[in-house]
Structures are given as structure tokens and as C-alpha cells.
């Protein structure tokens, strides 16, 4: 990856951290990814307590107490985890008052990638866990990585493709991710009607096979050194087919194409059911 121009700063990888095991995993993943791509890392902690109380300072006579101190300690812990992955990594921290999704959106507005743990917000506000990921999947300003497990070196990056014009951008981002992590790229298209239909005594490929072939060629053109494979799945549930096809993948990449700001049933189901890490692109 080429170095940024003099006087400029490379886009950062932003990661949410709240002290939970899920966010610890996210910080380690984000630090490894930032180091591999030569990017700075921004560790973000959403400080929710100012929304509920004004009593944020230390308890009189008790050193190291108070909600503010607790939040600062959590952020410092996240920074320490990141630096432990790579001492030479350029890391900074952000602590802002607000709900997690809101804070992370603002902190990631100029980031190349936003990374969160699959369980979202932990601790006292644990009931918001799933909603944070779903909210960010629909509203993050750029690509979102939902981390469930550590990186699996050598495993492919799987990507779901469809007929939407934005699929080309999804393939490009998935190819860049595969190149960065050193894995192959596995493209999956789910055809609910089957990929073949008889015509004049022969089997004629339908649009699903053509879409897949075009996407594979495009990925190879973008990165000739990348190992690219494709699979055409038949099934009424795109989410189920994608989850099964990506069981052995490092990351499953999906695009959001809805203009109303939603994420659709497929993305929502994949976020709930996929065993691997999931990247939502725009």
C-alpha cells in the first residue's frame, strides 16, 4: 500500500471498545488489519453515563473512583490492547458522550473501515447488543466489519453478489480485503429459481450464471494475482445459502443497496446467523 502524501494522514480504521470480551476481540482484529494495511487505528469509547446522570466525578475520599474515571480507564485499556498487537501502530483514542451507534458513526465519518464486536454494547446496557450492529449496518458512513472471531489466515473472503449495480463496488472492496489479509476470494450468487432452464431440448444458462461469471472476471481484472473462485447456489433463502457457503470463510462480505436506509432481511439474517466475521459495504 502506498504511503500517504506529505502533510496528509492516511484514512484510519476505527473500532468501538466498551471493555467487553467481544470488543476486545474487535480491537485485536482492527489492530492487526490496520497494521497490515499501514493505516492508523482509532479506538472509540461511547461514554453513556452523561446521558443519565450529572454525578460523574470521583467519590469524595475514594481515589480512582467516579464514572468519568471508569470511562477513561476503559478507553486506556482498549488503547493498550491495540498497542499490544503492534507496538509500532499509530493509535489514538476517542471518548465521546452518547449512545454507541451515534458515537461510532461520528467517529468513523472519515474512516476507511469501522470495526465492532458482534455483541455490540456490553455491560450495563447489554440489552442493546444486537441493535447497535443492526443500526450501524444501516447507517455507518462507510464499510462496517462485525467481528465474531480472530482472523483465519489462509481462509478465503466470501462475497455475496446480486444483480444490483452496486455489486461491482462490493466485489472491489472484497477483493481489496482479500489482498490485504492474504486470502483468496470466493464469490457466491444465490439464484432462487435455479441456474438452468430447458430450452429447445437444451439447458440454457440464465442470468444468475452470467452474473457470477462476470463478477469472477471483474475480480480477476482488479487483482490478477488474487485466487478467485465462484459458486452458484440454488435456494429460496439467500441468507441461509450465504451463511452455509461461508462457513469456512474468514469474512463474508455483503452490500447494502436499499435507498430507504434499511439493510434488508438478508443482511439482518446473516448478521444474526453467520459464524464468520461479516463486512457490510456501501
Amino acid at each position: 500500500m502506498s504511503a500517504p502524501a506529505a502533510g496528509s494522514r492516511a484514512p484510519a480504521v476505527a473500532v468501538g471498545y466498551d471493555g467487553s470480551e467481544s470488543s476486545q476481540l474487535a480491537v485485536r482484529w482492527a489492530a492487526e488489519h490496520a497494521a497490515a494495511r499501514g493505516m492508523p487505528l482509532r479506538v472509540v469509547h461511547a461514554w453513556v453515563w452523561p446521558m443519565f446522570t450529572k454525578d460523574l466525578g470521583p467519590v469524595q475520599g475514594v481515589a480512582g473512583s467516579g464514572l468519568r474515571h471508569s470511562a477513561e480507564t476503559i478507553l486506556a485499556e482498549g488503547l493498550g490492547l491495540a498497542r499490544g498487537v503492534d507496538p509500532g501502530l499509530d493509535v489514538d483514542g476517542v471518548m465521546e458522550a452518547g449512545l454507541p451507534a451515534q458515537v461510532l458513526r461520528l467517529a468513523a465519518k472519515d474512516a476507511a473501515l469501522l470495526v465492532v464486536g458482534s455483541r455490540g454494547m456490553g455491560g450495563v446496557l447489554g440489552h442493546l447488543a444486537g441493535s447497535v450492529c443492526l443500526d450501524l449496518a444501516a447507517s455507518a458512513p462507510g464499510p462496517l466489519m462485525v467481528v465474531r472471531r480472530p482472523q483465519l489466515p489462509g481462509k478465503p473472503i466470501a462475497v455475496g453478489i446480486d444483480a444490483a449495480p452496486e455489486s461491482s463496488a462490493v466485489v472491489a472492496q472484497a477483493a481489496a480485503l482479500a489482498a490485504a489479509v492474504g486470502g483468496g476470494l470466493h464469490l457466491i450468487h444465490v439464484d432462487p429459481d435455479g441456474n438452468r432452464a430447458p430450452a429447445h431440448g437444451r439447458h440454457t444458462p440464465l442470468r444468475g450464471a452470467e452474473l457470477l461469471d462476470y463478477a469472477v472476471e471483474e475480480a480477476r481484472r482488479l487483482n490478477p494475482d488474487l485466487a478467485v473462485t465462484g459458486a452458484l447456489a440454488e435456494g429460496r433463502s439467500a441468507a441461509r445459502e450465504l451463511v452455509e457457503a461461508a462457513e469456512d470463510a474468514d469474512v463474508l462480505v455483503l452490500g447494502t443497496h436499499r435507498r430507504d436506509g434499511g439493510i434488508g432481511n438478508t443482511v439482518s439474517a446473516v448478521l444474526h446467523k453467520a459464524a464468520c466475521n461479516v463486512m457490510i459495504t456501501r
Side-chain angles (χ1 to χ4, degrees), residues 1-2 10-15 26-42 81-91 112-113 115 151 179-181:
M1 184 172 182
S2 60
V13 174
V15 57
V27 166
R28 293 189 181 99
W29 190 99
E32 290 176 359
H33 186 72
R37 301 194 68 171
M39 294 179 172
L41 180 68
R42 182 181 307 151
L81 284 173
R83 293 180 178 125
V85 170
D86 186 338
L89 187 63
D90 181 1
V91 184
L113 179 67
V115 183
Q151 290 186 14
V181 301

Side-chain angles (χ1 to χ4, degrees), residues 33-251:
H33 186 72
R37 301 194 68 171
M39 294 179 172
L41 180 68
R42 182 181 307 151
V43 180
V44 184
H45 177 60
W47 188 29
V48 299
W49 292 116
M51 301 179 64
F52 303 107
T53 179
K54 295 181 179 179
D55 188 12
L56 303 171
V59 177
Q60 187 174 2
V62 181
S65 62
L67 296 172
R68 178 183 293 276
H69 181 268
S70 176
E72 292 170 344
T73 299
I74 290 172
L75 179 59
E77 179 183 83
L79 293 171
L81 284 173
R83 293 180 178 125
V85 170
D86 186 338
L89 187 63
D90 181 1
V91 184
D92 67 352
V94 174
M95 187 178 85
E96 294 288 348
L99 291 175
Q102 174 191 25
V103 170
L104 289 168
R105 272 195 302 271
L106 291 174
K109 63 183 179 181
D110 60 346
L113 179 67
L114 172 60
V115 183
V116 295
S118 63
R119 294 190 61 81
M121 182 69 182
V124 176
L125 298 182
H127 64 283
L128 294 176
S131 66
V132 174
C133 288
L134 292 175
D135 188 336
L136 290 171
S139 64
L144 173 73
M145 179 69 73
V146 180
V147 175
R148 282 189 168 84
R149 63 189 183 192
Q151 290 186 14
L152 299 178
K155 294 295 184 180
I157 303 300
V159 53
I161 60 170
D162 57 24
E166 294 87 351
S167 280
S168 292
V170 176
V171 170
Q173 292 188 53
L177 178 62
V181 301
L185 186 65
H186 183 55
L187 280 65
I188 307 161
H189 175 65
V190 180
D191 187 345
D193 299 315
N195 66 328
R196 290 181 179 273
H200 304 296
R202 301 174 57 190
H203 282 84
T204 304
L206 293 179
R207 185 165 173 75
E210 295 171 355
L211 277 171
L212 182 63
D213 289 344
Y214 176 81
V216 169
E217 291 176 4
E218 184 177 22
R220 289 172 176 161
R221 178 182 58 80
L222 288 169
N223 191 332
D225 297 327
L226 196 62
V228 183
T229 57
L232 191 60
E234 299 177 26
R236 292 292 176 180
S237 171
R240 180 168 59 245
E241 297 298 331
L242 289 169
V243 167
E244 290 180 359
E247 283 184 354
D248 197 40
D250 184 13
V251 179

